[in-house]
Every structure is written in C-alpha cells, then in structure tokens.
Amino acid sequence: MKYKIIGFDPSLRNWGYCIATYDVYARTLEFTNGGVIHSKPDKGFKRKNLEDLQSATQLYSELNTLLKTHQPDYLVAELPVGSQSSRAMVSYATCISLCAVLAYGDGQKTIPLFSITPYSIKKEVSGTTEASKEEVINWVKENYPQAYEWVSKYPKSKQEHICDAIVAVHCAVSNQTMEDIIL
C-alpha cells in the first residue's frame, strides 16, 4: 500500500515543499519532486497588511494547485513554534493558517496534517536541537541521494527549504504514531 505525501517548510516568502511516496509494506520513502513557492507582493500598497494579504493569496493559489495536481493522502509541515518580532509573527500566523486551510479547507474531505517542529528536524539531522542549513542539506544528500539529485539543481538558497520539507516527511514517517495511523 502506497501513500502520497506532500511535505512543507512554510514561510511567507519562500515556502519549500516536496512530493513523496511512502510504501507501507516495503517501509520505503521516495522523494520524487519538490521546489520553493515564492510570494512577491506589489510594493505600491499604502498598508503593509495588504502586502501580506497579497502574499498569502499568492501562496494559497500555488499551494492549492499543488494539492489538486498531486492529490496527497497526507500533509506534513514543519510548523513554526514562535517568533522573535512582530513581522516574524505575521509569517508565523500566515503559515499556520494556510496549512489549516489546505488540510481542512473544503469542509468535506480533509487531508491529515502532521506537524513537525523545527527542533525535531534539527535533532534528526544532528542529534541536538541545533543544526545548520548546510547540515540539513548534507543529511538529505547522505540519506536520500536520489532526492538530492534533483534538489542539487536548485540554488543553495532554495535547497535549504526543500531539504527541511524532506526531513519533515522523514520524521513523520519514522514516527510510530504515523505508522499506526497509516496501517
């Protein structure tokens, strides 16, 4: 039995994603595609909240298309856990809200959403709650070399977002709770 999973590394400006297939019986995880969705609001607005609304709308449009195209069985997101400034909080709130809308938006068919913390990703990569972006990229290169073949075609500034999404999916699948739900 195989399940399609879309992994997210949410961000207001650079939303990383990956497409994966998990074979429950073989216990294999394969990453087939991914990328970074950018929001680029017009700078002519008099109010910052209208720029943010335009960014959220741009992201939703691209993400909704991604879901319709790939029709995942599950979503996994590295959800933010806090923010250091009011601007970071805008990104935090937008990311949380978009993930909720993507998973539960139509009110009839929901897509299970598994939340992974940034600390879980860092711990998987380095064994501690600290890991650099380069360490995350190298972890993907070592553990999923087939995925890194297509990830490596992106600039480093985009690879880090895609690789965060890949490690998030890995963490979700490795978690016994998700295996129990899938089975």
Side-chain angles (χ1 to χ4, degrees):
M1 183 174 268
K2 294 183 180 183
Y3 291 98
K4 187 167 280 190
I5 302 168
I6 296 182
F8 294 138
D9 175 33
S11 169
L12 186 60
R13 297 286 181 251
N14 297 294
W15 187 298
Y17 71 90
C18 65
I19 312 298
T21 302
Y22 180 59
D23 186 322
V24 176
Y25 300 118
R27 293 182 173 261
T28 57
L29 183 60
E30 179 183 4
F31 295 94
T32 57
N33 196 357
V36 178
I37 298 171
H38 301 281
S39 70
K40 194 168 186 167
D42 298 330
K43 295 295 181 187
F45 292 113
K46 291 183 180 183
R47 296 187 340 237
K48 190 72 172 160
N49 65 344
L50 295 177
E51 262 184 44
D52 296 336
L53 179 62
Q54 188 178 49
S55 290
T57 303
Q58 289 170 356
L59 289 169
Y60 175 75
S61 177
E62 296 270 341
L63 291 164
N64 193 39
T65 299
L66 187 69
L67 267 59
K68 285 180 180 177
T69 301
H70 294 282
Q71 300 181 347
D73 299 297
Y74 295 94
L75 299 175
V76 173
E78 176 196 359
L79 293 180
V81 294
S83 60
Q84 305 255 336
S85 69
S86 61
R87 285 306 308 155
M89 193 62 191
V90 169
S91 179
Y92 171 98
T94 302
C95 293
I96 297 287
S97 298
L98 283 172
C99 286
V101 168
L102 292 168
Y104 308 106
D106 70 5
Q108 294 178 13
K109 181 180 185 279
T110 60
I111 305 169
L113 171 66
F114 291 88
S115 168
I116 304 298
T117 67
Y119 305 114
S120 296
I121 289 174
K122 289 175 172 48
K123 189 162 184 144
E124 182 67 35
V125 168
S126 69
T128 70
T129 57
E130 295 184 21
S132 69
K133 294 172 194 259
E134 192 66 36
E135 287 175 303
V136 174
I137 293 168
N138 287 333
W139 186 93
V140 169
K141 189 186 301 186
E142 291 171 20
N143 290 277
Y144 293 100
Q146 297 87 352
Y148 191 72
E149 285 180 28
W150 55 263
V151 170
S152 68
K153 295 177 184 172
Y154 288 91
K156 287 274 188 199
S157 62
K158 293 184 182 185
Q159 287 181 27
E160 65 190 59
H161 302 293
I162 301 165
C163 289
D164 274 344
I166 288 171
V167 180
V169 171
H170 171 88
C171 288
V173 169
S174 298
N175 180 327
Q176 187 62 40
T177 304
M178 185 171 182
E179 286 187 353
D180 290 344
I181 291 169
I182 289 175
L183 296 172

